Amino acid sequence: DFESICKNLEQLYPLGISCTEAHVLLCFTTVPTLTVSALASRLGVSPGWASRVSGHLLTKGLLRCSRDVTDARVLKLSATDAALHAIKRVYGVEQEIFSVALRQMQPDEQAVVANFLKCLAAGAKQNRQATSRMPRMSIRRYLIRELWRNRPSAKQTLGDVPEFYRWLEENRPRLLNRKRDPFSNLLSDLDLEKNTSI
């Protein structure tokens, strides 16, 4: 099932590639050669972070390093054939995980996820800064907020949360976060800890 696949995700990755390293290598499928600073820019991370991850990938034989022909001080990185082959396998695994997750969702939940992905795609198409301004939240929290917003506006007050909580327990129990008090966590998910409505 979905939980067991996620639990063993690292083991499914070929050649000991972590999820983070896989996303770094993915950059080299569209741009064959990158400097560390260019890689950092594409990923939106610091050059130091990009340098450390690149070092791990060089050690694993998934990146190769060469000097720029015009400036020997500049190091250029490129993916090995093994890395490119591995990336195809990695994203095959991720597609399988996403498919399993979607199959476990109800039709209305699938529609919410589809709409969420459309918004992400539209934002990325307009420009990359648009996606960075989007609220950062988990899919679980996003689903809860969308289900809450689909209720009549008169039923979106603090006093209506217990009823909504009972409905989630009966119909969507896996959306409730059990790591701490699920009711308090629901208030947090809905931004109702300090507000009376959203």
Side-chain angles (χ1 to χ4, degrees):
D1 62 353
F2 177 65
E3 289 184 3
S4 64
I5 290 176
C6 286
K7 186 176 180 180
N8 298 311
L9 180 59
E10 295 295 330
Q11 297 174 13
L12 292 173
Y13 278 41
L15 304 178
I17 301 173
S18 69
C19 182
T20 299
E21 290 171 336
H23 283 89
V24 171
L25 287 173
L26 187 64
C27 294
F28 293 92
T29 62
T30 53
V31 181
T33 304
L34 290 165
T35 62
V36 170
S37 59
L39 178 62
S41 178
R42 288 180 67 84
L43 293 169
V45 299
S46 69
W49 187 93
S51 179
R52 285 193 298 275
V53 176
S54 298
H56 294 315
L57 292 170
L58 283 164
T59 302
K60 292 179 180 180
L62 299 171
L63 285 183
R64 63 171 67 93
C65 184
S66 60
R67 298 279 180 182
D68 189 282
V69 292
T70 58
D71 188 345
R73 295 171 299 176
V74 177
L75 296 176
K76 300 172 72 174
L77 301 169
S78 58
T80 63
D81 291 340
L84 296 176
H85 177 68
I87 284 301
K88 291 179 181 178
R89 291 177 59 193
V90 166
Y91 284 94
V93 169
E94 291 198 344
Q95 288 176 3
E96 178 188 348
I97 290 171
F98 190 68
S99 297
V100 171
L102 282 179
R103 287 197 298 271
Q104 291 191 1
M105 292 181 182
Q106 300 294 326
D108 57 339
E109 292 176 326
Q110 292 176 356
V112 170
V113 171
N115 184 58
F116 177 69
L117 294 176
K118 285 179 182 177
C119 290
L120 285 179
K125 189 174 182 179
Q126 291 174 4
N127 80 53
R128 291 186 177 182
Q129 291 183 344
T131 57
S132 67
R133 292 194 298 267
M134 293 181 68
R136 295 184 180 272
M137 65 178 75
S138 67
I139 292 292
R140 183 195 63 78
R141 188 179 188 206
Y142 181 83
L143 287 168
I144 283 178
R145 291 172 68 87
E146 286 301 301
L147 290 168
W148 175 259
R149 287 194 178 102
N150 286 338
R151 292 164 61 87
S153 57
K155 302 283 286 181
Q156 295 182 30
T157 67
L158 189 60
D160 297 304
V161 176
E163 177 188 334
F164 181 57
Y165 176 81
R166 287 191 295 272
W167 183 88
L168 287 173
E169 275 196 316
E170 293 175 6
N171 299 279
R172 305 287 190 275
R174 67 179 181 275
L175 291 180
L176 294 171
N177 191 334
R178 308 286 182 178
K179 292 182 180 178
R180 62 185 181 97
D181 177 51
F183 185 80
S184 297
N185 202 73
L186 178 61
L187 292 175
S188 176
D189 286 334
L190 297 174
D191 286 342
L192 288 175
E193 289 179 309
K194 297 180 179 180
N195 304 314
T196 56
S197 63
I198 58 173

